[in-house]
Structures are given as C-alpha cells and as structure tokens.
C-alpha cells in the first residue's frame, strides 16, 4: 500500500502531482488534527498548521514539508527529538515581498515633492527576502543600510556588504522594513526601545511575522512616524482593530502572494519531496505560468517621477485598494488570504523603466 501524505488543501498547483506515488488526503491547514495523523508519514503545509507536540504526538509523521519560507509554525525541537525531518521553500516568494515593499512606499509617496529614493532604506534582516530587496532598491537609486547580526558575525564585512548595528540603522534611515525570521531573539524585537530610536517621520513596514512587533508599543509611538505599513499581525486572523485603523496600509499576510511566488513554493516543495523520497521522476518538476500581461509604461512628465513609478507598480498590484478591503471587512482576513487573486510580479522591463526615470533626473 502506498504511504499516506496529508496536504493543506489551500496550497495551489499541487493537486494531482503526488497521487501516483502516495495516498493523498487534502484538508484545510487549520483543521488538521492529531487524529488525522495516525497513518500519515508526511505533512505538506503552510503557516496555518501549527506542528507541535499536540498535533504530532503518537502519529506516524516522519517528515514535514512547508510551502513557506518561514518555519516558526513548526516546533523544531520536538521534531528533532522525534526524528521528524523539516523542509521549507526558502526564498520562494522573495521577489513578491520586494514588490510589496516598493509598491507600498511609492503608493504613499507618489505626490511628494521629495524623491522617494532620497529616503534611506534600513533593511532589518538580510536573508533571502531582505537581500533581494536591498539589491533591487539600490538598483533604482535608494541608499540602503543592512542590519543582520548573524550575517555580520559570520562574514564581518567580507562578503562585499556592510552590516550596520541596529541602533545606527534606526537613527539614520527614513524607511525601516522588517525581514527577520521569528525566533526567540526576534520575538517582540520591535518594542518601546526600538521605536523610540527611530527617526521622527520615518516609514515603518512589517512583512515578516506579526510577533516580531509589540503592537501596543507601535501604537504608543504611532504619532512619531510618518507612514506605517502592516501585512502581518499578532493573533492572525483575529487582528488588532486599533492598529488596523491607525496604519496607512494594512493587508492580510499577502506580501509574498505573487503568482510566481506561489508557483515557486509548490515547485520547491515537490523537489524537496522528490529528493527525500528518491522520486527521480519529480526531480525536475516545474510549473510554467501563463505569460505575464504587459502593461503601459507611458509616463506623464508633469506629474513627476514618483507618480510615474507608482503608476507602473499599481498596474500589477493595487495595494491601496486591497488595504481598503481589509479595513472595511477585517472579519474576512482569512477569506481574503485564502481566496487571494495572486498578483503578477513586477518584471525586468518594469525595473528598467523605473531605473530610466531615476537616471533621467
């Protein structure tokens, strides 16, 4: 008899792929229970399945594949003690988050006379997402400062990048954007002392994990900041209504929800399964998306660079419209997330057009 795998039914593009090799059962991620795991050898999940002792104890699961970058929803210590292997989809949605951050900045800054790229960007966490953002932002003219203590300890400044202390980043940067994993060191990292050190009028963006931010402290210092953009929340899907109303852009944990990111997540997961179970037929698995639609790159010189860049970015991602939806219907947080119409990422042509606008100044 084929081994049984349980799959989160909201993972896209995976239906039918593993059936030739396994018995497959699809369940809602937040509805998978301990009793479902009696026979299952593996789980394929997203963040909505909390893989802890309560879920896993007494079951037969020996491998967990998460179609996400982060693994904080998995109790790694319990899994290590019990011989359960963990695989993630590192870097799968990195450029979707880059798109989210840049679109948010220009959406809120498009009519300002000061160029958005004159605002120094501080990136806290320079892993797959943060480093991709750093390179892209620098390529379109932002001055970028990175803070990543583990990388600074490992590399110093020998990898061609400079890693700044957090206090210096908070003091110097007009945009602070969070891209750290959630662990014991980053839990409530953004608290009173963090916000007190930020520059007056600066942007604050969190698209990493909700628990990185002490939401009470953020609200306490809200008047100190210019713009606040929140994609991830404590206690999802029951989110802080005061923060929802106070922030300028609010979205339901969809920063990485691009079509390309979701395809990558499933492809990386299938390849992890192919390697772990030695399924050679799936080792080169891929998904070819439909060709991305091309949008107009016409510009209006009278409206300035910021508006023209915003218009390019908005054609692929109307972040302000999505923010208004959540503000109007916060009780639909999880529905918006599950039924999200995956957006198309910005393309190389988009970036080249943005670069040309900046170089023409």
């Amino acid at each position: 008899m084929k081994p049984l795998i349980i799959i989160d039914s909201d993972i896209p593009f995976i239906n039918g792929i593993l059936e030739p090799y396994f018995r497959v059962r699809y369940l809602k991620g937040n509805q998978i229970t301990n009793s479902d795991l009696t026979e299952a050898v593996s789980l394929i999940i997203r963040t909505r399945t909390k893989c802890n002792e309560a879920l896993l104890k007494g079951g037969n699961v020996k491998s967990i594949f998460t179609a996400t970058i982060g693994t904080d929803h998995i109790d790694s210590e319990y899994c290590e003690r019990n011989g359960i292997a963990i695989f993630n989809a590192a870097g799968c949605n990195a450029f979707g988050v880059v798109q989210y951050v840049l679109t948010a900045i220009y959406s809120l800054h498009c009519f300002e006379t000061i160029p958005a790229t004159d605002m120094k960007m501080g990136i806290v966490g320079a892993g797959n997402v943060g480093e991709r953002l750093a390179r892209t932002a620098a390529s379109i003219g932002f001055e970028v400062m990175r803070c990543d203590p583990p990388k600074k300890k490992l590399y110093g400044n020998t990898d061609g990048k400079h890693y700044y202390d957090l206090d210096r980043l908070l003091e110097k940067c007009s945009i602070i954007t969070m891209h750290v994993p959630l662990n014991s060191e980053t839990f409530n990292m953004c608290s009173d002392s963090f916000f007190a050190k930020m520059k007056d009028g600066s942007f604050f963006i969190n698209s990493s994990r909700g628990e990185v931010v002490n939401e009470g402290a953020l609200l306490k210092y809200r008047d100190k900041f210019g713009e606040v953009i929140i994609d991830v929340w404590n206690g999802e899907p029951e989110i802080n209504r005061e923060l929802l109303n106070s922030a300028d852009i609010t979205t339901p944990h969809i920063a990485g929800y691009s079509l390309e990111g979701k395809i990558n997540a499933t492809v990386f997961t299938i390849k992890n399964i192919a390697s772990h179970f030695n399924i050679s037929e799936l080792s080169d698995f891929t998904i070819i998306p439909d060709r991305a639609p091309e949008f107009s790159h016409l510009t209006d010189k009278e409206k300035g660079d910021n508006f023209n860049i915003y218009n390019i970015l908005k054609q692929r991602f109307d972040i302000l419209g999505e923010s208004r939806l959540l503000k109007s219907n916060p009780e639909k947080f999880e529905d918006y997330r599950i039924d999200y119409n995956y957006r198309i990422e910005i393309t190389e042509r988009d970036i080249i057009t943005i670069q040309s606008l900046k170089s023409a100044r």
Side-chain angles (χ1 to χ4, degrees), residues 22-138:
F22 302 92
R23 287 181 293 143
V24 177
R25 186 180 179 196
Y26 295 93
L27 296 170
K28 287 285 186 181
N30 60 358
Q31 296 176 10
I32 298 172
T33 66
N34 178 264
S35 61
D36 295 317
L37 307 186
T38 304
E39 297 182 39
V41 298
S42 289
L43 289 172
I44 303 177
I45 59 167
R46 303 175 306 133
T47 57
R48 287 303 185 252
T49 306
K50 306 304 179 185
C51 291
N52 50 25
E53 182 176 2
L55 180 69
L56 300 169
K57 188 174 182 179
N60 197 40
V61 170
K62 290 301 176 187
S63 52
I64 297 171
F65 301 85
T66 182
T68 61
I69 291 178
T71 59
D72 50 275
H73 52 296
I74 303 172
D75 186 337
S76 57
E77 292 182 3
Y78 177 85
C79 289
E80 184 176 358
R81 290 197 309 269
N82 289 274
I84 301 173
I86 300 170
F87 302 86
N88 69 332
C92 63
N93 62 0
F95 202 62
V97 180
V98 171
Q99 176 191 31
Y100 179 94
V101 171
L102 294 178
T103 303
I105 291 169
Y106 280 101
S107 293
L108 295 173
H109 204 61
C110 64
F111 292 108
E112 297 289 335
T113 55
I114 179 173
T117 48
D118 285 353
M119 299 170 68
K120 189 176 294 183
M121 183 183 294
I123 297 174
V124 185
N128 283 307
V129 176
E131 183 53 37
R132 188 79 180 269
L133 174 61
R135 293 198 305 267
T136 305

